[in-house]
Amino acid sequence: MQINALCKNGPALVADKPGKRLLTRITGIKITRQTLLCMKITAFILFAFCIQVSATTLAQNVTLSEHKAPLEKVINEIKRQTGYSFFYNQDWLQQAQPVVINVKNVPLNEALKACFANQPFSYAIVNKTIVLKLKEKTNPEIKLLVVPVNVSGKVTDTAGVPLPGATLRLKNEGKTYVSQNDGTFLFGAQSGEQVTVSFIGYTPYTFTVAENMPFQTVVLRTGENKLSEVVVSTGYEQLPLERATGSFAKVDNKLFNQRVSSDVLSRLEGNVPGLIFNKNTSKGANGGVDINIRGHNTLFSNDQPLIVVDNFAYDGDINNINPNDVESVTVLKDAAAASVWGVRSGNGVIVITTKKGRRNQPMTIGINSNLTVGSKPNLYYSRNFLNAADYIDVEKKLFDEGTYDYYLSDPTYVVTPAVRLFQDNKLGLISDSEVSKQIEKLKSQDARDDLSKYLYRHSFSQQYALNLNGGSNNSDYYLSIGYDKNLGSEIGVKDDRLTINSTSNYYPTKKLQLSLGINYIQNTNVNNGGISSGILPFPYLRLTDDQGNPAIVEQGYPNAFKDSYVQQGYLNWNFIPLIDRDYMNNVSKQIDNRFNVGAKYDIITGLNFNINYQYENLNTQGKNYNSVESYQARNLINRFAQIGSDGKVTFPIPVGGILNSSLGQLSSHQYRGQVNFSKDWNNKSQLNAIAGVEIRHSVSENSTNIAYGYNDETKTSIPALDYLSYFNTIPYGSEQIPNYSGFGKGVNNFLSYYSNASYVYNNKYVISASGRIDQSNFFGLKTNQKAVPLYSLGIGWNISNENFYNIKWLPLLKARMTYGYNGNINTTTTAITTIRDEINAPFNGIPFASIQNPGNPRLRWERNRMINLGIDFGTKDNRVTGSVEAFYKKSVDLFGNSPIAPTSGLLQYFGNVAGTKGHGIDVALNSNNLRIGRFQWESRLMYNYVVDKVAKYDVKSTVSTYINQNAPQSNIVPLEGADVYGVYSYKWAGLDPANGDPMGYLDGKLSKNYAAILASNSFDNLNYSGPARPRHSGSLRNTLSFGNLSLSVNITGKFGYYFRRESISNVGDILSGGQGNADYLMRWQQPGDEQHTTVPSIQYTPFDFDRATFYKYSSVLVTKGDHIRIQDITVNYQISRNQWKKLPFRQMSIYSYVNNVGIIWRANKLNMDPDLFNGYGIPPVKTWTFGIKGNF
Amino acid sequence: MKNKILWVLTLSGLLFLLGCAKKDDFLNEKSDAKLATLSNLISVEKLLHNEQIFNLRAIPSIAGSSTDDYYIQDKNYATYSFSDRNTYTWSKQIYPTGSDDYNWNVPYMQIFNANHALEALQAIGDNSTKSNILKGTALFYRSIAFFSLLQTYTMPYNGGTNDQLGIPLKLTSDIYEKVSRASEKECYEQIFKDLATAYELLPTATTYNTQPNKNAVNALCSRIYLSIGDYQKAYEFSDKCLQFNSDIVDYNTLKKDFIGISKNTPYPLKEVVYNTTMLGGTFTTFQTAVDTTLYKSYDSDDLRKSIFFTNLFGYPTFDGSYEFKNYNVFGGLANDEILLTRAECFARMGKKDEALADLNALLIKRYKTGTFTPRVASNSELALNLILQERRKELCFRGIRWLDLRRLNTEVKYAITLKRNITGQIYTLPPNDPRYALPIPDKEIQLSGIPQNPR
């Protein structure tokens, strides 16, 4: 009805004069439309604006002149004039009386009063909606008998924010009331009446009317459990899950805030089925983000999900987004959900929706502040460590065998203190007793004590966030400021971040919405931790002397060697790690600015148009400064120093500080025009559709520079150095002065067309479709001209809405299925031939060029096909709700190497030739296990299963390439038919009982011919141990609450995968001053040991490296990664003004959070954490957070 | 106020959209500034200066490995690879099943690069002299690659009287383009056409002899015409070539090192017209024994005996490559070959005196000063015999022997049967045997489905 009324008004507005004029003027500019695709969009946008320009200002005053008009007509007229909408039951109008009214420019209220004077309705104005109520029929008899109770109260959310427009339904009378602007309500009802309060997005709440009812405070909780009320965001539109066919996973605000962190992504861990955090990969272990949604869908292209913040793809560093500004996160997992994002959706999409203000809302002030303290890192965890006593015994043995003679004869070679002692003793410089005394002392030392004491500390983080939000009648706003400061576990490592956000919407007319967002993020990282990696890490290293003073550590060259140069005039060459870090300053800064504007215009009811534009500018600046006092600078200056014939020392690298600096800038423009259409036919069927165009242009530029002789105070350096000459360097050789100057620039252009539509029939059947065409500057025009759309189709069936459905205990049951394609991109390839400049041609020394990338005009997007089958269900009273999804995926046109006929000029080319396939299951279950009075127990279970296989790959590598992978969880060596990430090994045949040699198989026969085993290229000798990434993973979160107090424990687990651990089979590592390995203690020493150990006898020189390689990559070191850990525990106490009237704030929580609690079960017997890189390194530190959060 | 905001929005949107101008330009923008493309003459020039592709180990050697320039000693035979042994014994199968072979790959890689250059030049559309020179250079590189493939993988050309299979004539850089084997006639026509164009475009002289000039085209043409027995044309081109430059190095001035010609020798040798080297193969390695008969045929005063050969391993091996910078075996074009070609053509045309004059002009530079007595012959046929003998001695280990074998086998009096003796086991290659066309590597047959040579 409302739609019809507005439709009639539509054309009149379009025909209005100012609009026409504007159109004429624009078309007067003669620009060929064919060449300017952009013009088409512009024309459309202009069209939309023309409409807007002509729209009249809405008045709050009304002019009505009717004589015996139907009420409906009057209502429509009021609607037209004021922009207010009406809310009533169509059937009631039959009881309406004809209206006689004649008012001119009177306030709305007066007009309404006049209209409804003689009507069987009363009315209330709620948030620009006029809600009609059928007047109760006066029945004097009953009135005398039962006196209605006055029910008054207020509806708020858990934060105490009033919820205007909440529906209060009386069960027996069938009446409904609506809460007012401030959330309050007042109505009369019979005692014993049941009132259900509901609001979209929240779980309904029911109370019973009793005599002498006090003021009711109804607190509604966000309804995460109920499918029908969850709204997800695709980045292009808001979509109620009820209408969706695809695979969406939503993390609402409550769940999002279960974890405490200064970044967004880590809060998703364990909260999204299908989203896996790979922590043991090269990237993940180095603090990077390495996540996968539903496994891996590519071989050599980008494998990270697309991150969308509000409407646009986010180009900056995701760690810059302040989680306190995030309202919710939706993860798009299948084709139907994600394919609207086209070629960047192949790895799934994470859509982050930030907080917004709400109209007609008094200002709310939100605060959040917390402190996090971390435990000291556990350096004693790693098995890559051999205690000093055993270590020195090995050194002694090696020394006695003369193994060090060669090294000791080289004055530039650094040996450990023990070896130096043995040598001094041998030379007679030190007595036997003194040696044994000093050796005993060394044996009692543990390097980890000093490292732990002087290099690490308790981490300490502070987080402060403040936001203001609210809205008036025609605008809303959200302003926030956040500050995070982290002091890392490593002394000298710290960062801080300032975020300022502002988003506001302005509604100049009912049809137009203008939005403006400005974000400013400033991030400073200081990394002056650790000690130089060139140091010998032997297990009895000391950083201090016996008095606790910083000690000189031998690094680079022996101190005696260095001293000989220092005496001639070189700079002091000592390395004192504990002082040295004061002379360095490695700082990187980021400033990320985002600016976006948008406009949305309702053309007619159900049809609107929006345009959005975002500009992002990300500046990064890195400065790595080593002052002249730093070892790094002194060492480089000394190495290049020259002694002249007169004995004078000259310094080609000027004596002064050294500054390495880098600058990066990324700027992107994103522009979108979109038409949204929705129509509802008599509540029977609904159509929702969007279509749009998106343009994206981003430019990244970077440069690096080095300054010598740099003085940080005066900011001066010595510019003219001789970078071309070769200088004789210490100890030998000649080098040019390092000159890290460079520049780079990348441009990334996309033009995309997309559309998405869904049709719902009778609330039972849903059909959805989406399509997108992407064109970019990566693949050249040939591919663009033949653009293949990425599309999806989906169907959904709300079984529980069928008339025949009568399973009482399962009131919600929905089945859905989707099919479609997502895409992925590989930016390393080009459609055009690129060449690489080279110098020094072999015959004539001339510069030349060679083909770097043979042009491949047929390059195209990688395509990921996914079929998704899902069931959503909810048992009675939402006791158990959840979804189970199965997916089948097949990726085609993946980039990979392929053989090609040599007449082409190539033997292999990198093109769209490979494929993978996979399948898996995602399960999400929520259950309310127990509710006794104020006690409540809820659980949330997630389970994922995923298998990824290489389906097509024409190039086979050698057997050893598959096996010799030190990080099989990070590197893909495709083998057709095998897991994408696989751990391969040499078959293990135990230890030789005679001498503890490792034994393997060669062509099925027991063998110790290591060289032959290693050289064998027979695939029969390739042993597959299992996948290197978890097949199964899951999490279980249990939340217990008692009144205002809640406790939540999150348990996560990963199963069905393997990693390659390290061990020791010769003392090569010890010989070179490494840390050794604890497996040494379990080595085979005498016949019989093979019964209880798999560590071979330890080899001394000469080493058989083939034996060591065989053992290193043998199946016995492939270890099961399965483990379960308690990830985090949260305790929250919440009080609100609803309960305690005198509180100065609406609501406040005090919370405590423990993260990285620890592993509670693991498959390996060695106490290793498989989430660390190959099980080594420093385990994540346990942190404790205390915080307070409130709303005023 | 409201209208102002809308105007600002509209205009900014419009400006942005105009900023992206043409859609094609927007989508063609270079994604990485560092990506260098063949978009200008300088980049094409650099591509054609790629000596690694066009000159270093650039000419197939597998045909040379099938000749009687050398032999493998019994004790060494087992150390050679499967393909090397099969090549040596002219087996039916040469390569391991499914494998490829660089003798086939490398010329096609040169063709690929040359085609890229030609297409880039067409796209640049510049008609400057420089552009023309580059086009001529690319055509020359492609032609010499086609020719060396023809000599290796097809039967000798009989003037196109029947449709003998040639090689795939790959004329575009499109890696997906499927090209089957053209007829030999088409192949030679393509080569002659391209070389005629190249001749027009190329300069008379180039700074580096790794890049072709007009004379390199003459020299190559004289070799090609000789190889197909067109002595008239061979004469014309060799004569044209020598008219321009007839430098012959006096071997008395050449210095010899422990291995190879001394690097103190002025480089490059003036005699070299176009410099390129052979791919590695059994016959190019230093350990390969020189054919005994060949070695014995040199007079003691013949400097070639000491310049070409050494006795490091207790038996004579070849170490006299004209390319002594990178220790590769010379496979290019030099005046000694052209002079001998002209001498042969003279002889075949009955011009005995001219023929002997050319022969003696060469040989006087090959003998110790004062020891050479000019060759004489009573008729042109005897002169031809002398010339062919000297050709055998002068042009060994240059990849030319195979061409000569194929050509001379068609004349009964010069035809010979090659023999190998491996620990008593005798292998033979009779004249005009189908095995004079080597098999195309398996991988090519499998992936492109072109017909294989019968063996």
Side-chain angles (χ1 to χ4, degrees), chain A residues 859-1157:
Chain A
L859 289 182
R860 51 197 183 269
W861 312 108
E862 291 189 350
R863 290 190 299 147
N864 316 112
R865 189 188 76 188
M866 193 183 277
I867 297 170
N868 191 70
L869 304 168
I871 296 273
D872 303 308
F873 56 87
T875 61
K876 206 174 168 211
D877 299 330
N878 289 328
R879 185 75 6 143
V880 178
T881 57
S883 63
V884 177
E885 290 180 293
F887 55 90
Y888 302 88
K889 47 184 198 164
K890 185 176 179 182
S891 297
V892 293
D893 293 344
L894 296 189
F895 280 92
N897 286 306
S898 173
I900 187 167
T903 37
S904 66
L906 306 170
L907 294 179
Q908 262 188 22
Y909 75 104
F910 191 65
N912 302 87
V913 293
T916 60
K917 64 180 178 186
H919 58 271
I921 294 170
D922 289 352
V923 178
L925 285 180
N926 299 299
S927 81
N928 292 307
N929 303 325
L930 216 56
R931 189 174 284 180
I932 306 167
R934 298 175 72 196
F935 178 77
Q936 201 176 330
W937 173 26
E938 293 172 338
S939 299
R940 191 180 168 88
L941 176 81
M942 309 252 164
Y943 165 73
N944 331 301
Y945 164 71
V946 63
V947 175
D948 290 311
K949 300 265 186 196
V950 178
K952 184 173 185 295
Y953 206 76
D954 294 335
V955 179
K956 236 180 188 184
S957 294
T958 57
V959 166
S960 60
T961 315
Y962 292 105
I963 295 177
N964 296 357
Q965 288 289 316
N966 286 324
Q969 67 276 31
S970 308
N971 299 329
I972 299 175
V973 187
L975 179 61
E976 198 168 290
D979 278 299
V980 170
Y981 289 97
V983 186
Y984 301 91
S985 55
Y986 296 111
K987 278 180 200 141
W988 176 253
L991 296 175
D992 187 335
N995 58 8
D997 276 344
M999 297 189 295
Y1001 292 96
L1002 182 62
D1003 301 322
K1005 282 184 220 123
L1006 203 72
S1007 170
K1008 273 174 42 176
N1009 186 351
Y1010 309 116
I1013 294 174
L1014 265 49
S1016 163
N1017 201 28
S1018 159
F1019 277 77
D1020 296 335
N1021 291 331
L1022 180 73
N1023 181 48
Y1024 181 60
S1025 300
R1029 291 194 170 188
R1031 284 224 166 129
H1032 308 266
S1033 59
S1035 67
L1036 173 66
R1037 182 183 284 283
N1038 277 297
T1039 306
L1040 301 171
S1041 53
F1042 183 78
N1044 295 329
L1045 183 68
S1046 70
L1047 169 76
S1048 177
V1049 179
N1050 195 17
I1051 295 171
T1052 61
K1054 290 179 181 171
F1055 312 92
Y1057 73 115
Y1058 297 83
F1059 65 99
R1060 175 168 280 129
R1061 67 180 179 89
E1062 290 170 35
S1063 185
I1064 188 166
S1065 65
N1066 69 33
V1067 293
D1069 178 42
I1070 292 171
L1071 182 61
S1072 56
Q1075 293 202 317
N1077 188 292
D1079 274 5
Y1080 176 84
L1081 304 173
M1082 293 152 62
R1083 67 195 183 279
W1084 186 98
Q1085 295 183 72
Q1086 60 198 36
D1089 284 356
E1090 68 278 358
Q1091 304 291 335
H1092 48 81
T1093 187
T1094 55
V1095 183
S1097 51
I1098 300 291
Q1099 272 196 315
Y1100 285 80
T1101 51
F1103 302 133
D1104 177 353
F1105 288 104
D1106 290 340
R1107 179 188 189 261
T1109 306
F1110 166 75
Y1111 175 60
K1112 183 177 180 184
Y1113 296 108
S1114 69
S1115 57
V1116 75
L1117 292 180
V1118 177
T1119 310
K1120 229 174 169 178
D1122 303 14
H1123 69 283
I1124 299 174
R1125 70 175 73 228
I1126 297 182
Q1127 182 58 52
D1128 56 69
I1129 299 172
T1130 313
V1131 180
N1132 190 57
Y1133 183 77
Q1134 180 176 311
I1135 43 174
S1136 70
R1137 200 187 282 162
N1138 295 338
Q1139 292 166 303
W1140 194 10
K1141 297 277 178 322
K1142 284 179 186 161
L1143 275 184
F1145 34 80
R1146 285 204 187 99
Q1147 179 249 30
M1148 188 175 88
S1149 338
I1150 303 166
Y1151 56 92
S1152 173
Y1153 172 76
V1154 191
N1155 194 15
N1156 298 324
V1157 179

Side-chain angles (χ1 to χ4, degrees), chain A residues 22 25-26 29 31 35-39 41-42 45-46 49 52-53 55-57 506 508-509 512 514 597-599 611 613 669-671 695-697 699 702 742-751 753 775-782 784-785 827 829-830 832-838 840-852 854-860 899-909 911-912, chain B residues 1-3 5-7 9-40 42-57 100-102 104-105 108-114 116-117 168 170 172-179 207-211 267-268 275-277 323-326 328 441 443-450:
Chain A
L22 186 58
R25 275 169 58 189
I26 293 298
I29 305 167
I31 300 167
T35 53
L36 290 178
L37 155 112
C38 310
M39 276 302 294
I41 309 161
T42 315
I45 294 159
L46 283 172
F49 274 123
Q52 168 48 36
V53 168
T56 49
T57 332
Y506 177 53
T509 72
L512 180 67
L514 298 174
V597 288
I611 53 169
Y613 165 75
H669 300 268
Q670 302 192 65
Y671 195 95
I695 297 168
R696 202 180 123 79
H697 171 65
V699 179
N702 59 67
F743 304 90
K745 183 184 173 187
V747 180
N748 197 320
N749 290 342
F750 278 95
L751 173 59
Y753 310 86
Q775 304 183 334
S776 86
N777 65 330
F778 292 116
F779 290 160
L781 289 180
K782 256 192 190 164
N784 287 327
Q785 280 154 6
T827 54
T829 52
T830 48
I832 43 167
T833 300
T834 60
I835 54 172
R836 179 180 52 229
D837 277 351
E838 298 187 57
N840 225 346
F843 293 110
N844 297 305
I846 49 177
F848 64 102
S850 59
I851 292 180
Q852 180 182 29
N856 186 344
R858 294 197 198 174
L859 289 182
R860 51 197 183 269
I900 187 167
T903 37
S904 66
L906 306 170
L907 294 179
Q908 262 188 22
Y909 75 104
N912 302 87
Chain B
M1 177 60 196
K2 187 183 72 192
N3 284 0
I5 294 170
L6 290 173
W7 270 110
L9 269 178
T10 313
L11 286 175
S12 61
L14 185 66
L15 282 176
F16 170 69
L17 290 168
L18 285 174
C20 62
K22 275 189 179 165
K23 179 181 163 186
D24 285 4
D25 290 347
F26 183 69
L27 295 175
N28 254 352
E29 196 169 356
K30 206 151 81 168
S31 60
D32 181 348
K34 283 226 164 59
L35 292 181
T37 57
L38 293 168
S39 54
N40 54 42
I42 292 172
S43 58
V44 178
E45 183 180 35
K46 278 191 186 164
L47 185 73
L48 293 173
H49 282 185
N50 191 341
E51 297 176 349
Q52 281 182 353
I53 292 278
F54 295 112
N55 311 94
L56 185 71
R57 291 185 284 275
D100 58 85
D101 187 81
Y102 54 34
W104 176 264
N105 302 342
Y108 276 107
M109 200 183 296
Q110 294 160 358
I111 292 162
F112 179 65
N113 276 265
H116 261 301
K170 181 83 181 154
T172 71
S173 72
D174 183 355
I175 56 174
Y176 294 100
E177 187 202 26
K178 288 241 152 109
V179 186
T207 317
Y208 306 109
N209 65 9
T210 45
Q211 290 155 23
Y267 179 88
N275 189 3
T276 185
T277 64
E323 211 333 285
F324 45 89
K325 197 159 192 174
N326 291 293
N328 289 145
K443 192 174 169 186
E444 178 68 44
I445 304 290
Q446 279 173 18
L447 290 168
S448 66
I450 61 172

Side-chain angles (χ1 to χ4, degrees), chain A residues 663-703:
Chain A
L663 282 176
Q665 191 189 37
L666 179 130
S667 63
S668 78
H669 300 268
Q670 302 192 65
Y671 195 95
R672 179 186 297 169
Q674 180 174 311
V675 189
N676 309 287
F677 178 73
S678 70
K679 188 164 168 65
D680 189 323
W681 288 273
N682 304 324
N683 277 327
K684 259 293 203 205
S685 55
Q686 290 168 280
L687 176 69
N688 289 279
I690 62 166
V693 183
E694 199 168 78
I695 297 168
R696 202 180 123 79
H697 171 65
S698 76
V699 179
S700 60
E701 286 180 86
N702 59 67
S703 62

